[in-house]
Amino acid sequence: MSPSAVPISTANGHYFESDLNLSLVGLGVEYPPFLVGPEALETLANRYYPPSTALKKVLSINRFTGIETRAAVGDVNHPLVNQANAPSIKELNDLFRQEGVRLSVNACEKAIREWGGRLDDITHIVSTTCTNSANPGFDHFVVKQLGIRSSVEKILLHGIGCSGGMAAMRTAAHLALGSSYRGKPARVLVLACEISSVLVRSELDSINQDQETRVGVCLFSDCASAAILSNGIGEDEGPQPIYELLGWKHQIIDDTEDDLGFDVDPLGWKVVLTQRVPTLAAAAVSPCFQDLVNSVPSLHKDNKSPIAADFDWALHPGGSLIITGVEQAMNLTPEHLRASYEIYMKYGNSSSATVLSVLNKLRESDGKEWVVACAFGPGISLEMMVLRRRKEAPSPINGSGPNGANGVLHRDEAASNDDAVNGNAIPYTNGSTTTAEGPAIENGHATANGTSTEAVSTATNGVVANGASQVNGAAIGDGENGPLSSLPVEDLD
């Protein structure tokens, strides 16, 4: 502990030094080339499954999640989701080995390019995924394709779902501090990758067979994101930090193991979700935030402690009720959560890879000096981190933003055969769905094309059919026959 450490009492007795000298010096995000709208799920459901009450509810929910498009490795005609049966775990693994590794390599290359260091200077790699469990892990193949030395220290985290990106950052920070204690440099490559879109048939199978209202099929998307964490040792002038890490906290919400999960299934993984999740998550944020703030001496100026509104928030957008629930619980405004809303609307929930994408988006605009990053995962686990951003944080370079270069297409571009999966690209065309241009956010609710609504409901092309809406999890309308359900509908880890 350095002389600059100022002990501050907290609930768990932990406190951080005033200067950990840990910083993010590179960020990279890679989304796949396809953006699919809500109509894609409906198309697949109508192709392969008979009408039913459960399916009707799910498809209605799908129209009003607030998500306008989701990033996917293929479009609605991708062969893997158009077989007679849902793809097997082997087929899913083969796809991840191809597409997941490709996305991961591209995201890592963006982060490394922004950092500007040498591959041989990378000391550790901390990776995570919840949509692949092969051995060796996908990180092994990413290292080979990047050309990083095989002796680099690797850690692959599993079983932590949507909190995985934050957990990987926390693990990287501890590794870097261990190197600092030994007086050695640490440059830790953090990687999160998820391929969720191809689980659609497995989820639809369960909806059809068990008549369950499974909302995960309406939310998840594909992405890889990466970061370089440095402890500053061995740098002369070095790269300018994007964010400095000030402190972090991990906790488990007691007796919630059965509320949120991702169970192994012969056809992939199946989401476990209860109605309690949004309420449990929102209620846990405030005490966690207070304890974390109390543990970081540098946040306290003139004997005053900061409040939640003093920070920008990079909240993992697990669903609209998660975002609005935290917004209300912490007395925030949509502006505090602008990056979370935008990523959610444009790309959906990409599980562990999403929070780094939100941090990447957040730096593109001016904002507050301090940032809280927060995510929830199975357990229910809560990960929270407080960061300080440079006053003039570098913008994403060379396409390192979510819609950048290296194969990620803008909405008016068509996918080439090189960008497609298994060479079966069908170009995404404007008009099949719409994405908000300068999304309006009013009262915590995302809206399409600058048009605000009272409901957390963004329909295809931004039109809410016949007034059907969903407010705080109630009154899910089908646009024709009024309410179908009073369930909380679209919030996952």
Side-chain angles (χ1 to χ4, degrees), residues 256-314:
T256 59
E257 294 90 348
D258 296 330
D259 286 286
L260 187 60
F262 206 39
D263 282 352
V264 177
D265 184 87
L267 300 179
W269 293 265
K270 297 290 178 71
V271 173
V272 176
L273 173 68
T274 71
Q275 299 180 43
R276 302 199 310 158
V277 172
T279 301
L280 289 167
V285 170
S286 182
C288 184
F289 170 78
Q290 293 300 328
D291 196 39
L292 177 56
V293 165
N294 287 340
S295 72
V296 182
S298 59
L299 296 176
H300 302 264
K301 307 294 184 183
D302 301 323
N303 294 320
K304 294 181 179 179
S305 297
I307 61 173
D310 293 327
F311 298 77
D312 278 334
W313 283 67

Side-chain angles (χ1 to χ4, degrees), residues 74-374:
D75 70 353
V76 70
N77 294 307
H78 188 279
L80 197 60
V81 298
N82 282 276
Q83 304 173 141
N85 299 306
S88 67
I89 195 75
K90 181 184 185 304
E91 290 172 311
L92 294 171
N93 179 67
D94 291 344
L95 180 81
F96 195 101
R97 183 68 58 83
Q98 176 187 343
E99 291 301 312
V101 170
R102 181 184 65 82
L103 291 175
S104 297
V105 168
N106 288 345
C108 290
E109 286 178 340
K110 290 175 180 179
I112 291 167
R113 182 164 62 246
E114 181 169 26
W115 162 47
R118 301 182 308 129
L119 292 178
D120 284 348
D121 290 335
I122 295 174
T123 56
H124 309 77
I125 300 177
V126 181
S127 305
T128 186
T129 185
C130 64
T131 51
N132 187 258
S133 57
N135 298 285
F138 80 103
D139 58 332
H140 172 84
F141 301 97
V142 172
V143 167
K144 289 184 69 174
Q145 290 197 26
L146 287 172
I148 297 174
R149 56 190 170 83
S150 59
S151 59
V152 69
E153 296 186 36
K154 301 196 305 294
I155 296 174
L156 178 57
L157 305 178
H158 189 67
I160 47 181
C162 290
S163 63
M166 291 289 298
M169 290 265 288
R170 170 171 55 85
T171 303
H174 282 293
L175 290 170
L177 286 178
S179 294
S180 297
Y181 181 81
R182 300 166 64 197
K184 295 186 175 184
R187 307 293 181 266
V188 187
L189 175 60
V190 178
L191 168 63
C193 179
E194 306 291 359
I195 304 293
S196 304
S197 62
V198 290
L199 302 176
V200 57
R201 289 291 305 279
S202 176
E203 288 285 355
L204 286 171
D205 277 359
S206 292
I207 294 167
N208 179 55
Q209 295 166 10
D210 303 330
Q211 287 299 291
E212 297 175 339
T213 305
R214 304 180 64 84
V215 301
V217 72
C218 307
L219 300 177
F220 284 112
S221 58
D222 306 337
C223 179
S225 57
I228 300 288
L229 177 71
S230 171
N231 69 352
I233 295 178
E235 295 174 349
D236 295 325
E237 293 184 1
Q240 293 294 326
I242 304 167
Y243 295 101
E244 298 173 18
L245 275 64
L246 305 182
W248 51 87
K249 183 174 175 61
H250 163 79
Q251 73 175 53
I252 298 293
I253 304 174
D254 291 338
D255 301 319
T256 59
E257 294 90 348
D258 296 330
D259 286 286
L260 187 60
F262 206 39
D263 282 352
V264 177
D265 184 87
L267 300 179
W269 293 265
K270 297 290 178 71
V271 173
V272 176
L273 173 68
T274 71
Q275 299 180 43
R276 302 199 310 158
V277 172
T279 301
L280 289 167
V285 170
S286 182
C288 184
F289 170 78
Q290 293 300 328
D291 196 39
L292 177 56
V293 165
N294 287 340
S295 72
V296 182
S298 59
L299 296 176
H300 302 264
K301 307 294 184 183
D302 301 323
N303 294 320
K304 294 181 179 179
S305 297
I307 61 173
D310 293 327
F311 298 77
D312 278 334
W313 283 67
L315 177 69
H316 168 72
S320 67
L321 293 184
I322 290 288
I323 307 174
T324 57
V326 171
E327 181 182 316
Q328 293 163 10
M330 302 305 293
N331 294 314
L332 302 173
T333 68
E335 176 65 16
H336 290 100
L337 293 155
R338 59 193 178 278
S340 297
Y341 276 116
E342 185 167 350
I343 294 300
Y344 179 71
M345 292 171 66
K346 287 187 176 182
Y347 301 106
N349 176 355
S350 303
S351 192
S352 68
T354 319
V355 72
L356 285 173
S357 179
V358 174
L359 283 168
N360 192 52
K361 173 59 66 176
L362 188 60
R363 64 164 164 160
E364 293 180 5
S365 60
D366 293 335
K368 299 182 182 298
E369 178 183 5
W370 296 330
V371 174
V372 171
C374 180

Side-chain angles (χ1 to χ4, degrees), residues 24 58 68 163 167 172 179 234 281 334 343 345-346 367 403 408 469:
L24 293 181
V58 170
E68 297 194 339
S163 63
S179 294
I343 294 300
M345 292 171 66
K346 287 187 176 182
N403 238 7
V408 178
S469 63

Side-chain angles (χ1 to χ4, degrees), residues 17-30:
E17 299 185 22
S18 293
D19 185 6
L20 298 174
N21 205 33
L22 299 178
S23 58
L24 293 181
V25 294
L27 277 172
V29 178
E30 183 79 353

